[in-house]
Amino acid sequence: MTLTKADKIVVTCGLPYANGTAHIGHLRTYIPGDAYVRYLKRYGYDVVFFCGSDAHGAPIELAAEQAGVSPQKLIEKYHAHFEKIFRKLNIGVDLYGNTEAPYHYKRAQTIIRTLEENGYVEARDVALPYCNTCQTFLADRFLVGTCPYCGAIARGDECDQGCQRYLDADQLINPRCVTCGSPAVKRNARHHFFKLSMFTDFLTKFNKRLKGTALARNYALGWIRQGLKDWGISRDLKWGIPYPGDEDLVLYVWAENYAGYISFTEEWARQTGVDWEDYWIRDGKIINFIGADIVYHHAVFWPAILKGVNYNTAYAIVASGMVKVEGHGLSKSRGFVIDIEEDIIKQGIDLDAVRYYILSYTGYTKDLDFIWKDFQIRVNNELVGILGNYAYRVLLFIHKHFKKIPQGTLTDEVTSQIRNTVEAIDKTFHRFRFKEAADAAMLLASFGNTLFQQSEPWKTIKEERDRAQFDLYQCLQVLKAITILIEPVMPAISERIWQQLGQDGNIHEVKVEECTEPLVPGTKLPNPEALFTKIADETVEALTSRLNQRIESARAKAK
RNA sequence: AGCGGGGUGGGGUAGCCAGGAUAUCCCGCGGGGCUCAUAACCCCGAGAUCAAUAGUUCAAAUCUAUUCCCCGCUACCA
């Protein structure tokens, strides 16, 4: 079972949680997801792409409380923020949705109601921590107490300031309410449980035939082998989607957020006049791009829910590796974080260069260590030196001598070189090997540089003008192919080269077959401009010191 | 602790699933060339007991077992 051009493909990215700004970790999923979608389109597949804000859950309620604003205000702010980041980075979703939108409530509640009708949910009484002062049940995140291992002040889910161990809320010594400090007491509450254990066989089969990264499959299979427990899907919070039929409770955020993949499709389908059931009930091929940290939700809980309501489950789950910053695990509280808006956009960093760095750094499932110095080296050598230089030297030379596309016909060598690259990329992106795809396109630029070097047009232009024209025509065609093949990686740059090649039409809709379509001699060429600027040492120093300051102040705050 | 991923020249990486002759690519380093181009480009070269040990095999980076080291996840943080 592989993707075909007749398939209706839905690609989704894990939803960003709307309680903070976008950072480099987010991009590890969104940029490859977007590049994948763009490759599918370039190669003629029928694909739609969705993402959106995850708006509910205890941390948002807590963050809003601490900021003194309503949860609505908080998520509106971050929803707008992420929408803007997506636009700036050219992450071309067909809809950037929101799980706080009415269309999502409707879909999420319908799913739960259907699960209940089908007998997959049951209500049980459980004893949970409660605060008598605030008159509310306390989720793990709302509990503080003493860590049983190291004695530091710890939260109900982890010892975040001390030994970093994961904790069960029951382990905390002297558990208290995080809001008012009153001691937590146990109190009985009625909650709803999804009978996950009924789906053990289904989930085993599902994961065995699941495409995508091995990481996703193996995580889930290991988890299933350990035995599946039934899963609480209601919470005692004020903020969230009311539990259908038991409106004092809300749906647990992990029981409704990924329903956004469906509700966003529905909303997009409503706006564009197509039928969402083509994707989710009939023949859709669903592909989830996620971070490695949420594999369980996507390979265990979510497919079980989908199965329970008879919707299509994922064809592939593509799990990315984690991101490190200057050798340390990403951590906002410790300052090891690169903020997209503050540290990248406002610093004037080329966003296509960021896309390139993330895609070409390493294999998608491996950890990516974001280092500014390394970023500079890659940009200056590969983007400026190889790709940018190739485009500029060819276009400038031709513009200087001809001002239009020179006379020529394609040689077999150039045609087959391009064709080989087109085929190589076809194989790699289907296997989610985005680094290899980017490398293959860059290799074509190296090929072009060699071609230019060896044909020595700066000499032939003086004595054998026709010869120079013919050779330059080859170089220009190589550039055309690069432009099309690099579009999924660097859409903005690709647009600029396309324009500099004097081509009409939208590069984002050009198919790969165009790579070997000969350029039309005589087409006027505009004045070329350099595509990338070198990153100066001082810039790297400034960026690195920004980061170091953040790490320092985080360290000071912790003490 | 359990589960999962990884350890390849100075750095970062590909190859491992389907074992085969000189182990890939981007840098760095040494040498040469070119001068159209953002001191960019092109060519040549040095540099790796493929984490360790034991095994399977005519043949192991690749398969098996054990060990060491890094990282992630573990159901109420998303």
Side-chain angles (χ1 to χ4, degrees), chain A residues 54 140 157 296 366 382 393 433 452 532:
Chain A
D54 183 3
D140 284 4
D157 51 354
Y296 293 118
K366 288 206 175 181
E382 294 167 33
R393 76 196 291 207
R433 306 288 189 109
F452 191 96
F532 300 96

PDB file of all heavy atoms in Angstrom, chain A residues 54 140 157 296 366 382 393 433 452 532, chain B residues 14-15 26 36 38 73 76-78:
ATOM      1  N   ASP A  54      -4.195  24.351  19.835  1.00  0.00           N
ATOM      2  CA  ASP A  54      -4.740  23.482  20.870  1.00  0.00           C
ATOM      3  C   ASP A  54      -5.030  24.392  22.054  1.00  0.00           C
ATOM      4  O   ASP A  54      -4.104  24.936  22.657  1.00  0.00           O
ATOM      5  CB  ASP A  54      -3.686  22.425  21.207  1.00  0.00           C
ATOM      6  CG  ASP A  54      -4.162  21.420  22.223  1.00  0.00           C
ATOM      7  OD1 ASP A  54      -5.340  21.487  22.636  1.00  0.00           O
ATOM      8  OD2 ASP A  54      -3.351  20.567  22.614  1.00  0.00           O
ATOM      9  N   ASP A 140      -2.915  17.319  38.405  1.00  0.00           N
ATOM     10  CA  ASP A 140      -1.517  17.214  38.838  1.00  0.00           C
ATOM     11  C   ASP A 140      -0.798  18.547  38.780  1.00  0.00           C
ATOM     12  O   ASP A 140      -0.004  18.882  39.653  1.00  0.00           O
ATOM     13  CB  ASP A 140      -0.768  16.219  37.945  1.00  0.00           C
ATOM     14  CG  ASP A 140      -1.138  14.791  38.298  1.00  0.00           C
ATOM     15  OD1 ASP A 140      -2.006  14.615  39.169  1.00  0.00           O
ATOM     16  OD2 ASP A 140      -0.563  13.875  37.700  1.00  0.00           O
ATOM     17  N   ASP A 157       3.256  16.713  38.738  1.00  0.00           N
ATOM     18  CA  ASP A 157       3.639  15.829  37.642  1.00  0.00           C
ATOM     19  C   ASP A 157       5.145  15.598  37.557  1.00  0.00           C
ATOM     20  O   ASP A 157       5.601  14.570  37.107  1.00  0.00           O
ATOM     21  CB  ASP A 157       3.101  16.354  36.303  1.00  0.00           C
ATOM     22  CG  ASP A 157       3.459  17.818  36.070  1.00  0.00           C
ATOM     23  OD1 ASP A 157       4.022  18.454  36.985  1.00  0.00           O
ATOM     24  OD2 ASP A 157       3.166  18.328  34.984  1.00  0.00           O
ATOM     25  N   TYR A 296       2.615   8.405  21.625  1.00  0.00           N
ATOM     26  CA  TYR A 296       1.593   7.560  22.264  1.00  0.00           C
ATOM     27  C   TYR A 296       0.192   8.045  21.961  1.00  0.00           C
ATOM     28  O   TYR A 296      -0.716   7.265  21.693  1.00  0.00           O
ATOM     29  CB  TYR A 296       1.789   7.537  23.783  1.00  0.00           C
ATOM     30  CG  TYR A 296       3.056   6.841  24.172  1.00  0.00           C
ATOM     31  CD1 TYR A 296       4.059   7.514  24.851  1.00  0.00           C
ATOM     32  CD2 TYR A 296       3.253   5.514  23.831  1.00  0.00           C
ATOM     33  CE1 TYR A 296       5.229   6.873  25.197  1.00  0.00           C
ATOM     34  CE2 TYR A 296       4.425   4.858  24.169  1.00  0.00           C
ATOM     35  CZ  TYR A 296       5.415   5.549  24.854  1.00  0.00           C
ATOM     36  OH  TYR A 296       6.565   4.916  25.182  1.00  0.00           O
ATOM     37  N   LYS A 366      16.353  12.007  13.846  1.00  0.00           N
ATOM     38  CA  LYS A 366      17.444  12.226  14.794  1.00  0.00           C
ATOM     39  C   LYS A 366      17.306  13.561  15.494  1.00  0.00           C
ATOM     40  O   LYS A 366      16.625  14.457  15.016  1.00  0.00           O
ATOM     41  CB  LYS A 366      18.770  12.178  14.036  1.00  0.00           C
ATOM     42  CG  LYS A 366      19.131  10.775  13.608  1.00  0.00           C
ATOM     43  CD  LYS A 366      20.616  10.654  13.471  1.00  0.00           C
ATOM     44  CE  LYS A 366      21.017   9.235  13.168  1.00  0.00           C
ATOM     45  NZ  LYS A 366      22.463   9.114  13.070  1.00  0.00           N
ATOM     46  N   GLU A 382      26.853  26.782   2.011  1.00  0.00           N
ATOM     47  CA  GLU A 382      25.953  26.056   1.127  1.00  0.00           C
ATOM     48  C   GLU A 382      24.980  26.974   0.398  1.00  0.00           C
ATOM     49  O   GLU A 382      24.812  26.870  -0.814  1.00  0.00           O
ATOM     50  CB  GLU A 382      25.222  24.978   1.921  1.00  0.00           C
ATOM     51  CG  GLU A 382      26.209  23.919   2.410  1.00  0.00           C
ATOM     52  CD  GLU A 382      25.645  22.987   3.461  1.00  0.00           C
ATOM     53  OE1 GLU A 382      24.449  22.687   3.419  1.00  0.00           O
ATOM     54  OE2 GLU A 382      26.421  22.577   4.352  1.00  0.00           O
ATOM     55  N   ARG A 393      25.947  33.934 -10.450  1.00  0.00           N
ATOM     56  CA  ARG A 393      26.996  34.026 -11.469  1.00  0.00           C
ATOM     57  C   ARG A 393      26.432  33.728 -12.857  1.00  0.00           C
ATOM     58  O   ARG A 393      26.795  34.362 -13.847  1.00  0.00           O
ATOM     59  CB  ARG A 393      28.185  33.116 -11.130  1.00  0.00           C
ATOM     60  CG  ARG A 393      27.947  31.639 -11.387  1.00  0.00           C
ATOM     61  CD  ARG A 393      28.949  30.708 -10.718  1.00  0.00           C
ATOM     62  NE  ARG A 393      30.300  30.777 -11.261  1.00  0.00           N
ATOM     63  CZ  ARG A 393      31.167  29.761 -11.226  1.00  0.00           C
ATOM     64  NH1 ARG A 393      30.809  28.594 -10.678  1.00  0.00           N
ATOM     65  NH2 ARG A 393      32.374  29.895 -11.709  1.00  0.00           N
ATOM     66  N   ARG A 433      12.684  11.380   3.902  1.00  0.00           N
ATOM     67  CA  ARG A 433      14.103  11.709   3.974  1.00  0.00           C
ATOM     68  C   ARG A 433      14.303  13.103   3.394  1.00  0.00           C
ATOM     69  O   ARG A 433      14.725  13.254   2.252  1.00  0.00           O
ATOM     70  CB  ARG A 433      14.924  10.707   3.145  1.00  0.00           C
ATOM     71  CG  ARG A 433      14.665   9.266   3.515  1.00  0.00           C
ATOM     72  CD  ARG A 433      15.288   8.968   4.844  1.00  0.00           C
ATOM     73  NE  ARG A 433      15.255   7.546   5.139  1.00  0.00           N
ATOM     74  CZ  ARG A 433      16.333   6.771   5.144  1.00  0.00           C
ATOM     75  NH1 ARG A 433      17.506   7.254   4.866  1.00  0.00           N
ATOM     76  NH2 ARG A 433      16.226   5.505   5.447  1.00  0.00           N
ATOM     77  N   PHE A 452      29.621  25.205 -15.386  1.00  0.00           N
ATOM     78  CA  PHE A 452      29.987  26.587 -15.696  1.00  0.00           C
ATOM     79  C   PHE A 452      31.505  26.740 -15.738  1.00  0.00           C
ATOM     80  O   PHE A 452      32.069  27.311 -16.660  1.00  0.00           O
ATOM     81  CB  PHE A 452      29.385  27.505 -14.632  1.00  0.00           C
ATOM     82  CG  PHE A 452      29.459  28.975 -14.976  1.00  0.00           C
ATOM     83  CD1 PHE A 452      28.380  29.618 -15.565  1.00  0.00           C
ATOM     84  CD2 PHE A 452      30.597  29.709 -14.693  1.00  0.00           C
ATOM     85  CE1 PHE A 452      28.435  30.971 -15.885  1.00  0.00           C
ATOM     86  CE2 PHE A 452      30.668  31.058 -15.001  1.00  0.00           C
ATOM     87  CZ  PHE A 452      29.584  31.696 -15.604  1.00  0.00           C
ATOM     88  N   PHE A 532      21.073  35.345  -1.275  1.00  0.00           N
ATOM     89  CA  PHE A 532      21.334  35.241   0.163  1.00  0.00           C
ATOM     90  C   PHE A 532      22.447  36.207   0.533  1.00  0.00           C
ATOM     91  O   PHE A 532      23.310  36.504  -0.292  1.00  0.00           O
ATOM     92  CB  PHE A 532      21.793  33.837   0.543  1.00  0.00           C
ATOM     93  CG  PHE A 532      20.798  32.758   0.228  1.00  0.00           C
ATOM     94  CD1 PHE A 532      20.893  32.030  -0.946  1.00  0.00           C
ATOM     95  CD2 PHE A 532      19.768  32.478   1.110  1.00  0.00           C
ATOM     96  CE1 PHE A 532      19.983  31.033  -1.236  1.00  0.00           C
ATOM     97  CE2 PHE A 532      18.853  31.476   0.832  1.00  0.00           C
ATOM     98  CZ  PHE A 532      18.962  30.756  -0.349  1.00  0.00           C
TER      99      PHE A 532
ATOM    100  P     A B  14      22.329  10.682   9.541  1.00  0.00           P
ATOM    101  OP1   A B  14      20.876  10.913   9.482  1.00  0.00           O
ATOM    102  OP2   A B  14      22.918   9.922  10.658  1.00  0.00           O
ATOM    103  O5'   A B  14      22.806  10.026   8.168  1.00  0.00           O
ATOM    104  C5'   A B  14      22.348  10.564   6.936  1.00  0.00           C
ATOM    105  C4'   A B  14      22.923   9.815   5.765  1.00  0.00           C
ATOM    106  O4'   A B  14      24.359   9.973   5.714  1.00  0.00           O
ATOM    107  C3'   A B  14      22.754   8.315   5.739  1.00  0.00           C
ATOM    108  O3'   A B  14      21.440   7.943   5.386  1.00  0.00           O
ATOM    109  C2'   A B  14      23.747   7.949   4.640  1.00  0.00           C
ATOM    110  O2'   A B  14      23.200   8.202   3.363  1.00  0.00           O
ATOM    111  C1'   A B  14      24.870   8.951   4.897  1.00  0.00           C
ATOM    112  N9    A B  14      26.035   8.339   5.543  1.00  0.00           N
ATOM    113  C8    A B  14      26.468   8.474   6.837  1.00  0.00           C
ATOM    114  N7    A B  14      27.567   7.805   7.092  1.00  0.00           N
ATOM    115  C5    A B  14      27.872   7.193   5.897  1.00  0.00           C
ATOM    116  C6    A B  14      28.920   6.342   5.499  1.00  0.00           C
ATOM    117  N6    A B  14      29.891   5.960   6.314  1.00  0.00           N
ATOM    118  N1    A B  14      28.915   5.906   4.216  1.00  0.00           N
ATOM    119  C2    A B  14      27.941   6.295   3.405  1.00  0.00           C
ATOM    120  N3    A B  14      26.909   7.089   3.657  1.00  0.00           N
ATOM    121  C4    A B  14      26.935   7.511   4.933  1.00  0.00           C
ATOM    122  P     G B  15      20.785   6.587   5.903  1.00  0.00           P
ATOM    123  OP1   G B  15      19.475   6.443   5.254  1.00  0.00           O
ATOM    124  OP2   G B  15      20.891   6.557   7.380  1.00  0.00           O
ATOM    125  O5'   G B  15      21.781   5.501   5.322  1.00  0.00           O
ATOM    126  C5'   G B  15      21.700   5.098   3.953  1.00  0.00           C
ATOM    127  C4'   G B  15      22.848   4.178   3.637  1.00  0.00           C
ATOM    128  O4'   G B  15      24.081   4.804   4.033  1.00  0.00           O
ATOM    129  C3'   G B  15      22.835   2.848   4.382  1.00  0.00           C
ATOM    130  O3'   G B  15      22.091   1.904   3.642  1.00  0.00           O
ATOM    131  C2'   G B  15      24.302   2.463   4.415  1.00  0.00           C
ATOM    132  O2'   G B  15      24.701   1.782   3.259  1.00  0.00           O
ATOM    133  C1'   G B  15      25.004   3.828   4.483  1.00  0.00           C
ATOM    134  N9    G B  15      25.426   4.159   5.844  1.00  0.00           N
ATOM    135  C8    G B  15      24.730   4.883   6.784  1.00  0.00           C
ATOM    136  N7    G B  15      25.375   4.998   7.916  1.00  0.00           N
ATOM    137  C5    G B  15      26.566   4.309   7.719  1.00  0.00           C
ATOM    138  C6    G B  15      27.665   4.082   8.580  1.00  0.00           C
ATOM    139  O6    G B  15      27.805   4.468   9.743  1.00  0.00           O
ATOM    140  N1    G B  15      28.663   3.329   7.970  1.00  0.00           N
ATOM    141  C2    G B  15      28.605   2.852   6.689  1.00  0.00           C
ATOM    142  N2    G B  15      29.658   2.148   6.282  1.00  0.00           N
ATOM    143  N3    G B  15      27.588   3.064   5.857  1.00  0.00           N
ATOM    144  C4    G B  15      26.614   3.790   6.436  1.00  0.00           C
ATOM    145  P     C B  26      29.745  17.629  -0.933  1.00  0.00           P
ATOM    146  OP1   C B  26      29.442  18.473  -2.099  1.00  0.00           O
ATOM    147  OP2   C B  26      31.087  17.058  -0.745  1.00  0.00           O
ATOM    148  O5'   C B  26      29.366  18.424   0.390  1.00  0.00           O
ATOM    149  C5'   C B  26      28.142  19.154   0.462  1.00  0.00           C
ATOM    150  C4'   C B  26      28.054  19.830   1.812  1.00  0.00           C
ATOM    151  O4'   C B  26      27.974  18.824   2.855  1.00  0.00           O
ATOM    152  C3'   C B  26      29.296  20.620   2.198  1.00  0.00           C
ATOM    153  O3'   C B  26      29.291  21.887   1.581  1.00  0.00           O
ATOM    154  C2'   C B  26      29.135  20.701   3.709  1.00  0.00           C
ATOM    155  O2'   C B  26      28.179  21.649   4.085  1.00  0.00           O
ATOM    156  C1'   C B  26      28.622  19.296   4.027  1.00  0.00           C
ATOM    157  N1    C B  26      29.710  18.364   4.392  1.00  0.00           N
ATOM    158  C2    C B  26      30.157  18.356   5.717  1.00  0.00           C
ATOM    159  O2    C B  26      29.632  19.140   6.522  1.00  0.00           O
ATOM    160  N3    C B  26      31.140  17.504   6.092  1.00  0.00           N
ATOM    161  C4    C B  26      31.680  16.690   5.183  1.00  0.00           C
ATOM    162  N4    C B  26      32.654  15.871   5.607  1.00  0.00           N
ATOM    163  C5    C B  26      31.254  16.678   3.824  1.00  0.00           C
ATOM    164  C6    C B  26      30.275  17.523   3.469  1.00  0.00           C
ATOM    165  P     C B  36      36.768  37.575 -15.242  1.00  0.00           P
ATOM    166  OP1   C B  36      36.949  37.576 -16.696  1.00  0.00           O
ATOM    167  OP2   C B  36      37.300  38.698 -14.444  1.00  0.00           O
ATOM    168  O5'   C B  36      35.228  37.410 -14.875  1.00  0.00           O
ATOM    169  C5'   C B  36      34.210  37.903 -15.707  1.00  0.00           C
ATOM    170  C4'   C B  36      32.948  37.247 -15.269  1.00  0.00           C
ATOM    171  O4'   C B  36      32.986  35.840 -15.562  1.00  0.00           O
ATOM    172  C3'   C B  36      32.738  37.270 -13.768  1.00  0.00           C
ATOM    173  O3'   C B  36      32.216  38.529 -13.392  1.00  0.00           O
ATOM    174  C2'   C B  36      31.720  36.163 -13.588  1.00  0.00           C
ATOM    175  O2'   C B  36      30.434  36.590 -13.949  1.00  0.00           O
ATOM    176  C1'   C B  36      32.209  35.132 -14.615  1.00  0.00           C
ATOM    177  N1    C B  36      33.016  34.041 -14.025  1.00  0.00           N
ATOM    178  C2    C B  36      32.348  32.974 -13.421  1.00  0.00           C
ATOM    179  O2    C B  36      31.108  32.992 -13.383  1.00  0.00           O
ATOM    180  N3    C B  36      33.052  31.967 -12.891  1.00  0.00           N
ATOM    181  C4    C B  36      34.380  31.991 -12.941  1.00  0.00           C
ATOM    182  N4    C B  36      35.039  30.960 -12.411  1.00  0.00           N
ATOM    183  C5    C B  36      35.096  33.060 -13.558  1.00  0.00           C
ATOM    184  C6    C B  36      34.376  34.061 -14.079  1.00  0.00           C
ATOM    185  P     U B  38      30.240  39.535  -6.955  1.00  0.00           P
ATOM    186  OP1   U B  38      29.242  40.592  -7.045  1.00  0.00           O
ATOM    187  OP2   U B  38      31.646  39.774  -7.352  1.00  0.00           O
ATOM    188  O5'   U B  38      30.266  38.944  -5.481  1.00  0.00           O
ATOM    189  C5'   U B  38      30.696  39.761  -4.402  1.00  0.00           C
ATOM    190  C4'   U B  38      30.483  38.933  -3.140  1.00  0.00           C
ATOM    191  O4'   U B  38      29.098  38.670  -2.985  1.00  0.00           O
ATOM    192  C3'   U B  38      31.192  37.587  -3.169  1.00  0.00           C
ATOM    193  O3'   U B  38      32.162  37.579  -2.148  1.00  0.00           O
ATOM    194  C2'   U B  38      30.092  36.570  -2.846  1.00  0.00           C
ATOM    195  O2'   U B  38      30.450  35.717  -1.776  1.00  0.00           O
ATOM    196  C1'   U B  38      28.976  37.452  -2.331  1.00  0.00           C
ATOM    197  N1    U B  38      27.594  36.973  -2.542  1.00  0.00           N
ATOM    198  C2    U B  38      26.883  36.692  -1.382  1.00  0.00           C
ATOM    199  O2    U B  38      27.382  36.802  -0.272  1.00  0.00           O
ATOM    200  N3    U B  38      25.592  36.292  -1.593  1.00  0.00           N
ATOM    201  C4    U B  38      24.956  36.160  -2.791  1.00  0.00           C
ATOM    202  O4    U B  38      23.796  35.825  -2.803  1.00  0.00           O
ATOM    203  C5    U B  38      25.761  36.471  -3.932  1.00  0.00           C
ATOM    204  C6    U B  38      27.026  36.845  -3.773  1.00  0.00           C
ATOM    205  P     C B  73      10.953  13.721  26.981  1.00  0.00           P
ATOM    206  OP1   C B  73      10.114  14.902  26.727  1.00  0.00           O
ATOM    207  OP2   C B  73      11.717  13.620  28.233  1.00  0.00           O
ATOM    208  O5'   C B  73      10.056  12.415  26.861  1.00  0.00           O
ATOM    209  C5'   C B  73       9.052  12.321  25.849  1.00  0.00           C
ATOM    210  C4'   C B  73       8.432  10.950  25.891  1.00  0.00           C
ATOM    211  O4'   C B  73       9.474   9.948  25.788  1.00  0.00           O
ATOM    212  C3'   C B  73       7.755  10.598  27.213  1.00  0.00           C
ATOM    213  O3'   C B  73       6.448  11.128  27.280  1.00  0.00           O
ATOM    214  C2'   C B  73       7.750   9.072  27.133  1.00  0.00           C
ATOM    215  O2'   C B  73       6.780   8.598  26.243  1.00  0.00           O
ATOM    216  C1'   C B  73       9.132   8.802  26.553  1.00  0.00           C
ATOM    217  N1    C B  73      10.175   8.570  27.574  1.00  0.00           N
ATOM    218  C2    C B  73      10.263   7.308  28.183  1.00  0.00           C
ATOM    219  O2    C B  73       9.437   6.440  27.857  1.00  0.00           O
ATOM    220  N3    C B  73      11.225   7.078  29.095  1.00  0.00           N
ATOM    221  C4    C B  73      12.086   8.043  29.417  1.00  0.00           C
ATOM    222  N4    C B  73      13.029   7.759  30.321  1.00  0.00           N
ATOM    223  C5    C B  73      12.020   9.340  28.826  1.00  0.00           C
ATOM    224  C6    C B  73      11.059   9.566  27.916  1.00  0.00           C
ATOM    225  P     C B  76      -3.597  10.631  31.968  1.00  0.00           P
ATOM    226  OP1   C B  76      -4.172   9.707  32.921  1.00  0.00           O
ATOM    227  OP2   C B  76      -4.414  11.270  30.919  1.00  0.00           O
ATOM    228  O5'   C B  76      -2.811  11.754  32.773  1.00  0.00           O
ATOM    229  C5'   C B  76      -2.285  12.889  32.121  1.00  0.00           C
ATOM    230  C4'   C B  76      -2.207  14.037  33.104  1.00  0.00           C
ATOM    231  O4'   C B  76      -3.523  14.237  33.670  1.00  0.00           O
ATOM    232  C3'   C B  76      -1.272  13.769  34.280  1.00  0.00           C
ATOM    233  O3'   C B  76      -0.701  14.997  34.727  1.00  0.00           O
ATOM    234  C2'   C B  76      -2.210  13.293  35.361  1.00  0.00           C
ATOM    235  O2'   C B  76      -1.729  13.522  36.658  1.00  0.00           O
ATOM    236  C1'   C B  76      -3.446  14.152  35.076  1.00  0.00           C
ATOM    237  N1    C B  76      -4.677  13.560  35.580  1.00  0.00           N
ATOM    238  C2    C B  76      -5.339  14.250  36.582  1.00  0.00           C
ATOM    239  O2    C B  76      -4.879  15.323  36.969  1.00  0.00           O
ATOM    240  N3    C B  76      -6.464  13.709  37.088  1.00  0.00           N
ATOM    241  C4    C B  76      -6.917  12.551  36.647  1.00  0.00           C
ATOM    242  N4    C B  76      -8.007  12.068  37.181  1.00  0.00           N
ATOM    243  C5    C B  76      -6.251  11.832  35.607  1.00  0.00           C
ATOM    244  C6    C B  76      -5.136  12.370  35.109  1.00  0.00           C
ATOM    245  P     C B  77       0.685  15.451  34.031  1.00  0.00           P
ATOM    246  OP1   C B  77       1.360  14.314  33.456  1.00  0.00           O
ATOM    247  OP2   C B  77       1.369  16.271  35.051  1.00  0.00           O
ATOM    248  O5'   C B  77       0.181  16.413  32.872  1.00  0.00           O
ATOM    249  C5'   C B  77      -0.379  17.667  33.184  1.00  0.00           C
ATOM    250  C4'   C B  77       0.159  18.689  32.227  1.00  0.00           C
ATOM    251  O4'   C B  77       1.594  18.721  32.332  1.00  0.00           O
ATOM    252  C3'   C B  77      -0.097  18.366  30.766  1.00  0.00           C
ATOM    253  O3'   C B  77      -1.364  18.855  30.375  1.00  0.00           O
ATOM    254  C2'   C B  77       1.028  19.121  30.069  1.00  0.00           C
ATOM    255  O2'   C B  77       0.699  20.495  29.926  1.00  0.00           O
ATOM    256  C1'   C B  77       2.165  19.013  31.077  1.00  0.00           C
ATOM    257  N1    C B  77       3.136  17.948  30.749  1.00  0.00           N
ATOM    258  C2    C B  77       4.291  18.300  30.020  1.00  0.00           C
ATOM    259  O2    C B  77       4.432  19.480  29.674  1.00  0.00           O
ATOM    260  N3    C B  77       5.205  17.345  29.727  1.00  0.00           N
ATOM    261  C4    C B  77       4.997  16.095  30.131  1.00  0.00           C
ATOM    262  N4    C B  77       5.926  15.192  29.820  1.00  0.00           N
ATOM    263  C5    C B  77       3.836  15.717  30.865  1.00  0.00           C
ATOM    264  C6    C B  77       2.941  16.663  31.147  1.00  0.00           C
ATOM    265  P     A B  78      -2.187  18.013  29.319  1.00  0.00           P
ATOM    266  OP1   A B  78      -3.591  18.393  29.525  1.00  0.00           O
ATOM    267  OP2   A B  78      -1.810  16.595  29.335  1.00  0.00           O
ATOM    268  O5'   A B  78      -1.615  18.597  27.964  1.00  0.00           O
ATOM    269  C5'   A B  78      -2.296  19.542  27.165  1.00  0.00           C
ATOM    270  C4'   A B  78      -1.248  20.114  26.253  1.00  0.00           C
ATOM    271  O4'   A B  78       0.009  20.082  26.937  1.00  0.00           O
ATOM    272  C3'   A B  78      -1.003  19.316  24.990  1.00  0.00           C
ATOM    273  O3'   A B  78      -1.912  19.676  23.953  1.00  0.00           O
ATOM    274  C2'   A B  78       0.416  19.689  24.635  1.00  0.00           C
ATOM    275  O2'   A B  78       0.492  20.958  24.050  1.00  0.00           O
ATOM    276  C1'   A B  78       1.049  19.743  26.023  1.00  0.00           C
ATOM    277  N9    A B  78       1.634  18.443  26.394  1.00  0.00           N
ATOM    278  C8    A B  78       1.025  17.352  26.949  1.00  0.00           C
ATOM    279  N7    A B  78       1.826  16.334  27.161  1.00  0.00           N
ATOM    280  C5    A B  78       3.050  16.794  26.707  1.00  0.00           C
ATOM    281  C6    A B  78       4.327  16.200  26.657  1.00  0.00           C
ATOM    282  N6    A B  78       4.581  14.951  27.072  1.00  0.00           N
ATOM    283  N1    A B  78       5.335  16.923  26.142  1.00  0.00           N
ATOM    284  C2    A B  78       5.080  18.164  25.721  1.00  0.00           C
ATOM    285  N3    A B  78       3.934  18.836  25.725  1.00  0.00           N
ATOM    286  C4    A B  78       2.945  18.082  26.239  1.00  0.00           C
TER     287        A B  78
END
